[in-house]
């Protein structure tokens, strides 16, 4: 565990001179297609703070996109991963297996919803997990079609680009995309034409009607949904939507896949966001928060579905790397020991009332939503619901300049999202919210 002081501190212009120097080296050697939210280079990170190479300390409201839930240098992650590094870095699970991989699969079976027999396969990235969920569902059902939702995000590989809804920046110029992918409406309460209270019933009816009419339920291998849509703008499908889609999948022999890559592992105040409405998915994809920052992902689900792919059909050289598995065991240990689900709920208790109060003061805040430590505000033009990406970018920039690392998101680029590490101190949360409020006041 690093001894990084848990305090915001801005000692240079943002970016500072050392970051600027690194940025020019980066521009010369790193492909332009890889972007960064802020041009400051990290030196250390721990708890709720990221420190840059110029000594500026930023309050971390991003967790490296919902990854460092337990902090960026959590004691148990460092301890277990370091010990594993010293023992061996890699043998390849497909060559000579090791215990850590099996232990992670056992933990996933225990933590994911449902008490049926479960199995897992481990991979490196979220996109890879989603791709494999599709392979497994197709092998099990012997069907090909995959249904996804408006505003959904599932990754940047060819198949997951097809599954992802937003063109710019994720798909523009990168086609052709994988076939047999179909997109249907989701219950986006704030923007549902007849109001949030009708969104669950109406959107699920529309989605099911489109599946029946345009694809034929008997051709659908999998329905894939994020229980809280991340890149789409932290959209919580209106109540009733997820249960209706889950039921439709069960009635038609379709594999229901919950993509919990962003929403999972205590982020929303539960181990998995789909627990909120009692949803038990057939398959669940996890990554991001799973391993305290080390690259690991998983597909977990009903044993009979997971076993449908033939031996050798799943895997990858690095999938379930032993150091990453050790990191995951350390992260899960931390989540249990510090009761990070309770911490996420506490973060919601601190943030939501402050954001709601800001919404009353600043009419460009159209909506405050999310749960646990997955909270967002949607910005609009005054007196309308018209998206306001310009103000969103300005607010984010103002926060960055004052030492608060916030991320934006949303199909319309008009959502500021808050994904603090769950171990963040309450003073940092409050300080970060003060900075945000001042940014709105100055706009
Ligand atoms: C980030 C994300 C992915 C892709 O994960 P990568 O590790 O970036 O490939 C897939 N689904 C959801 C819901 C995500 O948030």
């Amino acid at each position: 565990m690093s001894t990084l002081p848990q305090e915001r501190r801005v000692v240079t212009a943002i970016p500072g001179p050392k970051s600027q120097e690194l940025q020019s080296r980066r521009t010369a050697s790193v492909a332009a297609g890889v972007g960064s939210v802020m041009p400051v280079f990290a030196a250390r990170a721990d708890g709720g703070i990221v420190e840059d190479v110029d000594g500026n300390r930023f309050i971390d409201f991003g967790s490296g996109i919902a990854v460092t839930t337990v902090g960026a240098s959590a004691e148990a992650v460092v301890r277990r991963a370091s010990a594993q590094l010293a023992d061996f870095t890699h043998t390849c699970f497909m060559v000579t297996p090791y215990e850590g991989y099996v232990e992670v699969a056992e933990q996933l079976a225990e933590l994911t919803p449902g008490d049926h027999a479960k199995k897992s396969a481990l991979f490196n990235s979220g996109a890879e997990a989603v791709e494999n969920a599709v392979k497994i569902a197709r092998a099990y059902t012997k069907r090909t079609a995959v249904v996804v939702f408006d505003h959904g995000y599932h990754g940047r590989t060819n198949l997951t680009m097809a599954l992802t809804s937003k063109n710019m920046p994720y798909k523009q110029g990168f086609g052709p995309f994988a076939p047999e992918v179909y997109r249907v409406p989701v219950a986006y309460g704030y923007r549902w034409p007849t109001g949030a209270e009708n969104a669950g019933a109406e959107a699920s009816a529309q989605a099911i009607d489109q599946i029946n009419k345009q694809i034929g339920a008997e051709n659908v291998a999998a329905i894939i949904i994020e229980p809280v849509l991340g890149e789409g703008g932290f959209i919580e499908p209106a109540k009733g939507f997820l249960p209706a889609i889950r039921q439709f999948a069960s009635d038609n022999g379709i594999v229901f896949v919950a993509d919990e890559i962003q929403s999972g592992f205590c982020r929303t105040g539960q181990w998995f966001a789909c627990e909120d409405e009692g949803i038990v998915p057939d398959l669940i994809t996890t990554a991001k928060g799973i391993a305290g920052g080390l690259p690991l992902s998983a597909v977990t689900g009903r044993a009979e579905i997971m076993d449908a792919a033939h031996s050798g059909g799943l895997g990858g050289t690095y999938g379930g790397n032993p150091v990453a598995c050790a990191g995951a065991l350390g992260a899960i240990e931390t989540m249990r020991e510090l009761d990070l689900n309770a911490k996420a709920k506490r973060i919601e208790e601190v943030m939501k009332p402050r954001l709601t109060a800001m919404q009353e003061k600043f009419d460009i805040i159209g909506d405050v939503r999310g749960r646990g430590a997955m909270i967002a505000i949607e910005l609009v033009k005054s007196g309308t619901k018209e998206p306001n990406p310009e103000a969103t970018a300005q607010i984010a920039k103002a926060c960055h300049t004052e030492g608060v690392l916030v991320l934006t998101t949303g199909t319309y680029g008009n959502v500021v999202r808050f994904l603090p590490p769950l171990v963040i101190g309450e003073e940092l949360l409050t300080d970060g919210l003060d900075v945000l409020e001042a940014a709105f006041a100055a706009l």
Side-chain angles (χ1 to χ4, degrees), residues 220-236:
V220 178
I223 297 177
I224 308 177
I225 189 161
E226 300 157 84
V228 179
L229 286 81
E231 304 307 300
F234 285 18
I235 301 162
E236 298 172 273

Side-chain angles (χ1 to χ4, degrees), residues 102-121:
V102 178
E103 233 180 307
V104 170
E106 288 167 352
Q107 290 289 331
L108 284 164
E110 192 182 320
L111 294 171
T112 52
D115 47 20
H116 49 277
K118 289 176 214 157
K119 293 194 179 184
S120 288

Side-chain angles (χ1 to χ4, degrees), residues 107 110-111 271 331-340:
Q107 290 289 331
E110 192 182 320
L111 294 171
W271 282 100
I332 293 167
E333 178 187 321
T334 308
M335 289 171 194
R336 288 187 204 275
E337 270 178 14
L338 302 182
D339 192 3
L340 291 189

Side-chain angles (χ1 to χ4, degrees), residues 65 124-128 130 153-157 160 226 228-231 259-263 285 287-288 297 417:
I65 320 189
N124 305 290
S125 69
E128 218 186 332
V130 175
Y153 178 85
H154 302 287
R156 296 171 179 269
T157 58
T160 58
E226 300 157 84
V228 179
L229 286 81
E231 304 307 300
D259 180 350
E260 293 253 16
I261 287 167
Q262 190 157 166
S263 56
T285 53
K288 294 200 165 96
S297 67
R417 59 172 153 177

Side-chain angles (χ1 to χ4, degrees), residues 28-106:
S29 60
V30 178
V34 184
S36 294
V37 172
M38 281 172 78
V40 301
F41 283 72
R44 297 193 291 171
D46 186 47
I49 292 286
V50 176
E51 188 180 81
D52 76 5
V53 288
D54 291 291
N56 298 299
R57 295 197 186 117
F58 296 87
I59 298 178
D60 186 6
F61 279 178
S63 300
I65 320 189
V67 170
T68 52
T69 301
V70 296
S73 48
E75 188 277 331
V77 174
V78 174
R79 170 171 40 84
R80 285 180 181 252
S82 305
Q84 180 58 51
L85 267 172
D87 283 347
F88 59 93
T89 57
H90 174 87
T91 59
C92 188
F93 194 76
M94 302 183 303
V95 179
T96 52
Y98 35 86
E99 186 178 356
Y101 189 118
V102 178
E103 233 180 307
V104 170
E106 288 167 352

